[in-house]
Amino acid sequence: MSASDLSFLAELAVNGALVGLMYALVGMSIVMVYKSSGVVNLAQGALVMLAAYLAWAFARHAGMPVVLAAGLAAVAMCGAGALIAWGALRRMVGQPPIMALMLTLGLDILLRGLAPALWGPDTKPLDLGFGQAPLAVLGLLVNGTYLIGGVAALAVLGLLALFFRTRIGIMLRAASDDHLAAWSVGVSVERAMALSWAIAGAIGAVAGVLWASVQGVEWSLSLLLIKGLAVAVLGGLDSTGGAVLGGLVLGVLENVVSGFADAYVGGGTKEVVASLVILATILARPHGFFGREVIERV
């Protein structure tokens, strides 16, 4: 392999890792919900999309700076997440798990149709001021927005690690480990679920705004659900750190495979890679890199 090929491979890997960290934001939001309620949130992609639409609407119609609009969208998604948990998921306690899963799927379908209906189906720009021009980092060309997104993902992971060391974070971890035991010592599982959904909404808002700055605000942002699921399954559905590692692996695989294979097959290999990662993980290592294996004896 020539020096130019090695340089091209390194650029693909580095940019892929940064893209993977942006995927990890969606994966971490899925993990937050699963840790508290045991529900795989199939509506997370639609919530990411909704956050991007809200940020665009605040910036366009209220005349806010984009960064302020993004922050307000994150606050709004905190409230939306808590409302979903308190108003809908709480009613699923004691029901078969498939009912909660179908509830999130129904919410996903509703939001996918509602947001474009309210704001129009055309792609809307959301410029955070980072630009799309590549930056030279250690001799490699790196997308500026991907670099900011990667830093944001690592910052979110650090904040979550600190949060889970606080009193509220410990209570949330207790609720996620065992609902009945948490109830028995006075922990409000319902409030823990609402808090987890609120945090997931805020993390999803960060992901939505960053991805909207790359590809614009449109309904296809909801398809980030597939990437988020692949990341969460690969890293372990109850591990935020695993979501980051899963994102790195998925991003590098996608970028390297598509960089070399798209020229021969006509494109579209990125979506195939994400699907194969989900299938291979479920078949070979169902609990992912860091997920806990629960053994039930009867």
Side-chain angles (χ1 to χ4, degrees), residues 6-198:
L6 287 174
S7 177
F8 178 57
L9 178 62
E11 286 184 1
L12 288 175
V14 170
N15 281 282
L18 295 175
V19 170
L21 287 174
M22 291 175 64
Y23 290 156
L25 287 169
V26 185
M28 281 189 280
S29 60
I30 292 174
V31 167
M32 284 298 301
V33 170
Y34 185 83
K35 281 173 68 69
S36 67
S37 60
V39 175
V40 178
N41 181 16
L42 298 182
Q44 191 60 44
L47 292 173
V48 167
M49 174 200 68
L50 179 60
Y53 272 106
L54 287 175
W56 172 83
F58 291 146
R60 175 68 182 274
H61 300 298
M64 296 181 181
V66 175
V67 175
L68 179 59
L72 189 57
V75 172
M77 294 311 298
C78 275
L83 183 62
I84 292 169
W86 191 260
L89 264 296
R90 186 165 59 98
R91 301 175 183 272
M92 296 295 104
V93 175
Q95 299 295 325
I98 189 65
M99 301 302 294
L101 188 68
M102 289 298 101
L103 178 64
T104 64
L105 177 60
L107 181 62
D108 173 77
I109 296 170
L110 173 64
L111 292 178
R112 281 196 194 195
L114 183 61
L118 289 175
W119 290 294
D122 55 308
T123 302
K124 300 161 178 61
L126 188 66
D127 185 9
L128 294 179
F130 304 140
Q132 296 294 323
L135 304 174
V137 179
L138 299 178
L140 302 175
L141 294 179
V142 177
N143 184 294
T145 302
Y146 293 162
L147 182 60
I148 297 298
V151 172
L154 294 177
V156 168
L157 177 64
L159 290 174
L160 287 178
L162 292 175
F163 169 75
F164 282 120
R165 293 179 180 273
T166 66
R167 179 180 176 85
I168 297 177
I170 293 172
M171 292 173 63
L172 195 150
R173 286 164 56 191
S176 68
D177 285 340
D178 191 320
H179 286 182
L180 292 178
W183 263 317
S184 68
V185 296
V187 175
S188 174
V189 175
E190 293 87 353
R191 290 183 181 177
M193 289 176 58
L195 178 59
S196 295
W197 274 81

Side-chain angles (χ1 to χ4, degrees), residues 207-294:
V209 169
L210 287 170
W211 276 107
S213 70
V214 174
Q215 66 185 64
V217 180
E218 57 178 352
W219 74 271
S220 64
L221 287 172
S222 62
L223 299 180
L224 286 168
L225 172 67
I226 303 300
K227 312 294 186 178
L229 282 175
V231 165
V233 169
L234 182 59
L237 277 169
D238 54 3
S239 172
T240 52
V244 173
L245 179 58
L248 289 171
V249 172
L250 177 63
V252 171
L253 280 176
E254 275 192 356
N255 233 32
V256 170
V257 170
S258 64
F260 287 98
D262 277 359
Y264 299 98
V265 299
T269 54
K270 283 189 175 182
E271 307 307 322
V272 176
V273 169
S275 302
L276 288 177
V277 165
I278 294 175
L279 290 174
T281 305
I282 291 174
L283 291 174
R285 192 179 177 85
H287 300 283
F289 291 137
F290 301 120
R292 291 178 302 174
E293 183 177 359
V294 179

